[in-house]
Amino acid sequence: MRVPPGQLRRYQRDLDQLVPADRERACRADLGPRYLLVYSHDAGLAGVTADAFGCEDVRLTDDPAETAPGERGAPGSVPGILQSPSGLLDALEATANASGA
């Protein structure tokens, strides 16, 4: 699915708010949908996975086809788990529902 052009600024704002997740948090649910947002930039593609369950973890990948989200790939990539900003999952779900995915 493609993100509608009118939604791009929303995703940019949400992704700018990603921060490392608290290591002491407790998560209850371990199953549910996961969203993958892939975008292009000067160096190629980047991916953002967002879990719509549990702690709503977000992980990044510098190569969605090769590098597992959350693992270090190219220099400068962000390993580990990030905390989803408020509203990111709602936007991803709305985009997926609008496209029929």
Side-chain angles (χ1 to χ4, degrees):
M1 91 185 139
R2 288 193 168 276
V3 174
Q7 294 271 336
L8 292 176
R9 285 185 191 238
R10 164 85 191 254
Y11 284 113
Q12 181 180 8
R13 184 185 69 237
D14 287 345
L15 296 176
D16 284 345
Q17 295 178 29
L18 291 172
V19 295
D22 180 4
R23 292 181 184 203
E24 302 299 321
R25 65 201 170 128
C27 304
R28 296 184 296 257
D30 60 356
L31 294 175
R34 174 176 284 160
Y35 297 101
L36 172 63
L37 176 65
V38 178
Y39 60 93
S40 63
H41 56 89
D42 294 338
L45 297 177
V48 179
T49 63
D51 297 341
F53 58 91
C55 285
E56 300 180 348
D57 293 338
V58 175
R59 293 176 179 85
L60 307 179
T61 176
D62 60 341
D63 184 349
E66 296 289 328
T67 306
E71 291 184 9
R72 180 172 296 281
S77 64
V78 179
I81 300 171
L82 303 169
Q83 182 62 50
S84 177
S86 176
L88 175 61
L89 289 171
D90 292 337
L92 289 167
E93 183 177 4
T95 299
N97 289 340
S99 71

